[in-house]
């Protein structure tokens, strides 16, 4: 019997998308940007105390290997030769911190997730003295056995230890926080060969792209021009606007960050960012904590049954409020309840909360940039929810534009990896980039109704503030 002929597709590029809620490995055709196959594993979150959020670093690393192996198996079933995978990019949850033993490669403690609030009192103490770190690449390249200890500029810029102008670790900041500079990883560009895979089905394949997840989504949405912006709906919500080669400092509660540096000799680009802590996480909370849904997808069905929150407003400030308020004392509230309110209304209010929070950071972005966005480019798992997307268009009162392939975070990591010097299978020249099919959601309510709903939301936000008084630690900071 003749052997089955393998499909010939040209160079392929893989991407690890290690997020807060799950890990994925995806493989793309570098010439068409088509997603060929993927595998996903959900990651457990632990809440040992109120305000603490942790994950098992070994589980995270194992999930990466599992996703790679399963995806390669699926490619084999499609008769796609995995030897065509020429590079791997890595996109990761930012700010989540793990400290590893340099000699054994073992984590010293659980990963402290970016949502964690345990250091709030420490931050307040440190702030009075004014006049983390993500290196999962290392383990994939061999860990203590010759692994590469490095990160890229987008991840480094989220540590509060990095000078975003000189693109180096900042001695003054490291001294201020008491961090020895010698334990920090080397900082590289977002697109270059860092090392090779040392184990598994893709052993020997170069790892050549590394971006924090939101920067990866900006690249995947092809927001390469000054003023282009995207909003990613994941565990949280993150709106980034490319400000080009200049740093723009916000006067409205946004953060200035590194957008990307796509090559050692390429210029660095910056972005303004607005962050919402709880977006998809509110759906997971309704599933895991309240049990009103069994799967995340059920939220759309419940919301569709009523088509309104019936005056119910949900402020999911589980970890305080992020942009534009930066109010750690806030906590989640559900208000406007009546005897008529049921789980469908609460489900609808949860979706509205994501949209209202997005409007708040979009308005801050418009004020900082001076030119209002005419439409919003969106991506992330939650964008599959059509009710959410229509609500977002109604509440923003501008069109919402969604790519037919929503996995733009992984796509951005793949693009960076494929474009790296020494790989060069993916062109980032504008004329070479594949056209993307978009789905467009237009506002369907009048502007007055949109404003009334938004102003009521703002009242609810005010009621969520001031719930927590910081408890200072018994051992102070010298």
């Amino acid at each position: 019997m003749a052997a089955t002929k393998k499909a010939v597709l040209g160079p392929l590029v893989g991407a690890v998308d290690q997020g807060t809620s799950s890990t994925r490995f995806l493989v793309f055709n570098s010439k068409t940007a088509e997603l060929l196959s993927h595998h996903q594993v959900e990651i457990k979150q632990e809440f040992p105390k109120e305000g603490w959020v942790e994950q098992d670093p070994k589980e995270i690393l194992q999930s990466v290997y599992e996703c790679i192996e399963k995806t390669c198996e699926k490619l084999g079933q499609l008769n796609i030769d995995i030897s065509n995978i020429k590079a791997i990019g890595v996109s990761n949850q930012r700010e989540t911190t793990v400290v590893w033993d340099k000699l054994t490669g073992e984590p010293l403690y659980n990963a402290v997730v970016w949502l964690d609030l345990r250091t709030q009192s420490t931050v307040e103490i440190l702030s009075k003295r004014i006049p983390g770190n993500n290196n999962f690449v290392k383990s994939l390249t061999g860990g203590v056995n010759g692994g590469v200890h490095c990160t890229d500029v987008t991840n480094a810029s989220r540590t509060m230890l990095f000078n975003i102008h000189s693109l180096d670790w900042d001695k003054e900041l490291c001294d201020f926080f008491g961090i020895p500079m010698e334990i920090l990883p080397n900082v590289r560009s977002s697109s270059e060969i860092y090392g090779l895979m040392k184990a598994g089905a893709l052993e020997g394949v170069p790892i050549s792209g590394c971006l924090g997840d939101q920067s990866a989504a900006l690249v995947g949405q092809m927001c390469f021009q000054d003023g282009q912006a995207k909003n990613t709906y994941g565990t949280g919500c993150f709106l980034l606007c490319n400000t080009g080669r200049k740093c723009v400092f916000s006067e409205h509660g946004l953060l200035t960050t590194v957008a990307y540096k796509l090559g050692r000799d390429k210029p660095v680009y910056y972005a303004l960012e607005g962050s919402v802590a709880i977006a998809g996480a509110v759906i997971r909370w309704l599933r895991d904590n309240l049990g009103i849904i069994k799967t995340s997808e059920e939220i759309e069905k419940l919301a569709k049954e009523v088509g309104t929150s019936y005056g119910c407003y949900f402020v999911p400030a589980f970890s305080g409020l992020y942009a534009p308020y930066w109010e750690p004392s806030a906590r989640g509230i559900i208000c406007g309840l009546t005897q008529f309110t049921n789980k469908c209304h609460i489900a609808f209010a949860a979706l509205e909360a994501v949209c209202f929070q997005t409007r708040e950071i979009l308005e801050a972005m418009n004020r900082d940039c001076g030119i209002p966005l005419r439409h919003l480019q969106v991506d992330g798992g939650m964008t599959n929810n059509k009710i959410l997307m229509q609500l977002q268009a109604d509440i923003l009162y501008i069109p919402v534009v969604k790519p037919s392939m929503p996995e733009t975070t992984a796509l951005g990591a793949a693009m960076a990896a494929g474009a790296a010097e020494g790989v060069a299978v993916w062109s980032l020249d504008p004329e070479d980039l594949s056209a993307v099919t978009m789905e467009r959601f237009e506002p369907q309510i009048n502007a007055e109704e949109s404003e009334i709903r938004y102003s009521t939301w703002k009242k609810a936000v005010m009621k969520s503030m001031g719930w927590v008084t910081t408890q200072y630690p018994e051992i102070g900071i010298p």
Side-chain angles (χ1 to χ4, degrees):
M1 185 175 177
T4 304
K5 188 176 180 180
K6 296 287 187 181
V8 179
L9 296 169
L12 310 180
V13 179
V16 174
D17 181 5
Q18 204 300 296
T20 314
S21 301
S22 68
T23 297
R24 284 173 284 191
F25 184 69
L26 306 91
V27 175
F28 297 90
N29 184 325
S30 67
K31 300 306 178 188
T32 64
E34 177 190 2
L35 174 60
L36 300 176
S37 187
H38 76 284
H39 189 75
Q40 178 172 345
V41 173
E42 189 166 307
I43 300 294
K44 295 175 187 172
Q45 293 185 25
E46 300 175 22
F47 307 94
K49 295 183 181 180
E50 182 185 352
W52 292 29
V53 188
E54 298 178 0
Q55 291 176 330
D56 181 348
K58 290 185 175 180
E59 181 190 351
I60 294 174
L61 187 58
Q62 182 55 41
S63 72
V64 172
Y65 283 117
E66 180 181 343
C67 286
I68 290 174
E69 296 300 316
K70 295 291 186 183
T71 302
C72 288
E73 289 175 13
K74 292 177 181 179
L75 289 171
Q77 293 165 7
L78 295 170
N79 293 322
I80 295 173
D81 191 344
I82 63 171
S83 68
N84 285 330
I85 298 176
K86 303 303 181 185
I88 295 170
V90 177
S91 162
N92 54 273
Q93 50 175 314
R94 306 168 303 167
E95 291 113 356
T96 295
T97 304
V98 185
V99 179
W100 303 85
D101 186 298
K102 183 178 181 179
L103 299 178
T104 67
E106 293 293 306
L108 299 183
Y109 186 69
N110 276 345
V112 178
V113 178
W114 58 274
L115 287 164
D116 193 281
L117 290 175
R118 77 187 67 186
T119 59
Q120 180 57 41
S121 59
T122 304
V123 170
E124 292 183 11
I125 293 171
L126 286 171
S127 68
K128 294 176 182 177
R129 291 171 46 182
I130 300 174
N133 187 4
N134 237 322
N135 25 300
F136 283 122
V137 177
K138 181 176 181 180
S139 293
L140 296 178
T141 58
V144 293
N145 300 312
V148 179
H149 188 214
C150 72
T151 190
D152 89 303
V153 290
T154 67
N155 281 298
S157 72
R158 311 301 297 186
T159 62
M160 296 181 69
L161 303 174
F162 188 70
N163 187 315
I164 64 174
H165 307 287
S166 67
L167 304 184
D168 291 312
W169 298 117
D170 191 289
K171 186 177 186 306
E172 186 176 349
L173 288 172
C174 289
D175 288 346
F176 178 80
F177 288 108
I179 304 296
M181 293 181 73
E182 60 269 19
I183 72 170
L184 298 173
N186 294 322
V187 181
R188 312 271 283 270
S189 77
S190 308
S191 178
E192 60 179 275
I193 295 176
Y194 314 106
L196 307 179
M197 287 288 292
K198 292 297 184 186
L202 299 182
E203 183 177 354
V205 175
I207 299 172
S208 53
C210 180
L211 291 148
D213 50 9
Q214 303 313 318
S215 290
L218 194 72
V219 171
Q221 284 269 29
M222 302 177 199
C223 294
F224 295 128
Q225 302 299 316
D226 190 342
Q228 287 186 302
K230 67 86 202 173
N231 195 37
T232 299
Y233 299 75
T235 299
C237 241
F238 300 90
L239 177 62
L240 268 71
C241 180
N242 188 331
T243 62
R245 294 170 66 176
K246 62 182 184 296
C247 282
V248 174
F249 293 98
S250 174
E251 296 180 357
H252 301 95
L254 304 180
L255 302 176
T256 303
T257 192
V258 174
Y260 52 80
K261 186 179 188 293
L262 296 174
R264 280 180 289 188
D265 300 322
K266 300 291 185 181
V268 63
Y269 282 76
Y270 296 94
L272 274 178
E273 174 172 345
S275 308
V276 170
I278 304 295
V282 75
I283 312 304
R284 189 167 178 167
W285 183 80
L286 291 175
R287 183 193 71 185
D288 297 345
N289 292 44
L290 292 195
I292 69 171
I293 53 175
K294 292 182 179 177
T295 67
S296 297
E297 292 72 28
E298 285 180 41
I299 192 83
E300 186 171 10
K301 180 182 176 184
L302 284 184
K304 190 174 183 179
E305 282 185 31
V306 287
T308 176
S309 65
Y310 200 74
C312 171
Y313 286 80
F314 189 166
V315 183
F318 302 153
S319 300
L321 289 169
Y322 282 29
Y325 299 101
W326 298 110
E327 182 49 72
S329 73
R331 286 296 180 270
I333 63 168
I334 302 175
C335 55
L337 300 175
T338 70
Q339 287 180 309
F340 183 72
T341 308
N342 61 36
K343 64 180 182 180
C344 297
H345 298 117
I346 292 173
F348 196 95
L351 296 182
E352 278 191 318
V354 175
C355 301
F356 286 130
Q357 291 179 100
T358 297
R359 175 164 172 177
E360 290 189 308
I361 56 176
L362 182 68
E363 288 188 346
M365 189 80 71
N366 287 340
R367 288 195 292 270
D368 278 326
C369 295
I371 303 173
L373 289 177
R374 295 181 180 178
H375 67 268
L376 182 64
Q377 291 177 234
V378 300
D379 58 78
M382 289 188 80
T383 62
N384 291 323
N385 187 319
K386 292 185 181 298
I387 287 184
L388 176 68
M389 292 295 94
Q390 186 57 56
L391 273 173
Q392 189 67 89
D394 290 344
I395 288 168
L396 295 180
Y397 213 66
I398 59 173
V400 168
V401 181
K402 167 186 175 285
S404 56
M405 197 287 292
E407 302 295 348
T408 53
T409 300
L411 177 61
M415 290 166 67
E421 182 180 352
V423 178
V425 297
W426 203 312
S427 172
L428 299 183
D429 291 335
E431 60 270 20
D432 295 332
L433 294 173
S434 303
V436 178
T437 305
M438 296 286 192
E439 185 175 2
R440 192 177 178 93
F441 296 84
E442 299 282 350
Q444 293 183 354
I445 63 174
N446 61 54
E448 184 180 3
E449 182 183 348
S450 180
E451 289 302 320
I452 290 171
R453 286 161 67 176
Y454 183 52
S455 63
T456 309
W457 157 262
K458 301 278 274 189
K459 286 169 57 180
V461 169
M462 292 300 109
K463 293 183 184 299
S464 76
M465 294 184 185
W467 284 89
V468 177
T469 302
T470 302
Q471 297 296 316
Y472 287 90
E474 293 180 7
I475 300 175
I477 294 175

